[in-house]
Amino acid sequence: MPSAVIFDCDGVVVDSEGPTFALLGRDLARHGLPLSLPEMEALFLGGTVQGVFDKARALGATLADDWVQDFYARLYDLLAQNTPLIAGILTVLDALDACAIPYAIGSNGSARKMQVTLGQHPGLTARFNGHIYSSHTLGKPKPAPDLYLHAAQALGVDPHLCVVVEDSATGAMAAKAAGMRCMGYAPHGNPALQAAGAELFCNMNDLREILMI
């Protein structure tokens, strides 16, 4: 049983990856870089929008200098319409509460994005007791370990006693660098996530048994 659990946000707590990649795919195709969903996931999953901009430009996309800000604005509007929770995540949080195990979110997404997605679900943000952290604030995005180390310190738990729940290889690398066990949520499999050191599971409802909570 872990002493604390740190969740990634997108694709782990909220089901926001699909709309995000759909919007991104349309943008990149319009700017000369058509990519399939698997290609975009391999290139960008778990990264930052600034990182997407830099990589896409390097690959030939003709993105405007203000694309990052423009994309965020349109993404927030899109996600505000409906961003469902990952099935089973509330049951996991209930089990952690029952065991008095603290938990946090550590995301490469912006604080505003998490306000939009998490805030759609009454009471959800409050359950994290202020422990919702963005790499935009810290200035050290994954795969650097700083975000997860910061969350562990804020929770008052030794990093080696924390478990991270991730869906991207980038996040798994951050967890490994922080000395934390990483559970990789991969409903359709994810060899890159596993190769980065995560222990894969495909159903969020299985996480309670895995963590013995």
Side-chain angles (χ1 to χ4, degrees):
M1 183 181 295
S3 295
V5 178
I6 308 172
F7 298 90
D8 179 40
C9 187
D10 298 300
V12 170
V13 177
V14 291
D15 192 6
S16 53
E17 300 287 21
T20 300
F21 277 116
L23 181 62
L24 177 61
R26 292 193 293 270
D27 263 33
L28 295 181
R30 278 201 309 271
H31 292 90
L33 186 64
L35 295 172
S36 67
L37 177 58
E39 288 172 330
M40 287 191 292
E41 289 178 339
L43 286 167
F44 308 127
L45 185 63
T48 63
V49 174
Q50 182 63 50
V52 171
F53 174 79
D54 294 337
K55 287 183 180 179
R57 266 199 166 180
L59 291 170
T62 57
L63 300 176
D65 290 342
D66 64 349
W67 179 83
V68 171
Q69 294 77 15
D70 178 66
F71 182 81
Y72 266 129
R74 289 180 288 119
L75 179 62
Y76 296 156
D77 287 343
L78 177 63
L79 294 177
Q81 296 174 26
N82 180 34
T83 305
L85 295 174
I86 294 293
I89 190 62
L90 293 182
T91 302
V92 173
L93 299 185
D94 289 342
L96 291 171
D97 286 337
C99 295
I101 296 173
Y103 48 88
I105 285 177
S107 175
N108 268 355
S110 69
R112 175 59 182 151
K113 184 180 180 183
M114 288 188 279
Q115 290 170 0
V116 169
T117 57
L118 300 173
Q120 295 177 33
H121 305 280
L124 180 60
T125 300
R127 296 190 69 166
F128 287 87
N129 295 310
H131 295 295
I132 298 176
Y133 305 107
S134 165
S135 69
H136 289 222
T137 303
L138 195 63
K140 294 282 189 176
K142 309 169 199 175
D146 302 63
L147 184 61
Y148 284 143
L149 291 172
H150 177 80
Q153 182 179 35
L155 292 171
V157 177
D158 186 290
H160 294 90
L161 301 178
C162 296
V163 168
V164 166
V165 184
E166 266 288 353
D167 72 329
S168 74
T170 300
M173 288 187 282
K176 183 178 181 180
M180 301 177 182
R181 181 186 181 192
C182 183
M183 303 306 307
Y185 178 56
H188 307 294
N190 189 328
L193 180 57
Q194 188 171 30
E199 303 168 48
L200 299 192
F201 69 103
C202 63
N203 190 316
M204 194 60 71
N205 290 311
D206 295 336
L207 189 58
R208 293 174 57 195
E209 182 176 349
I210 294 167
L211 299 181
M212 297 183 291
I213 58 175

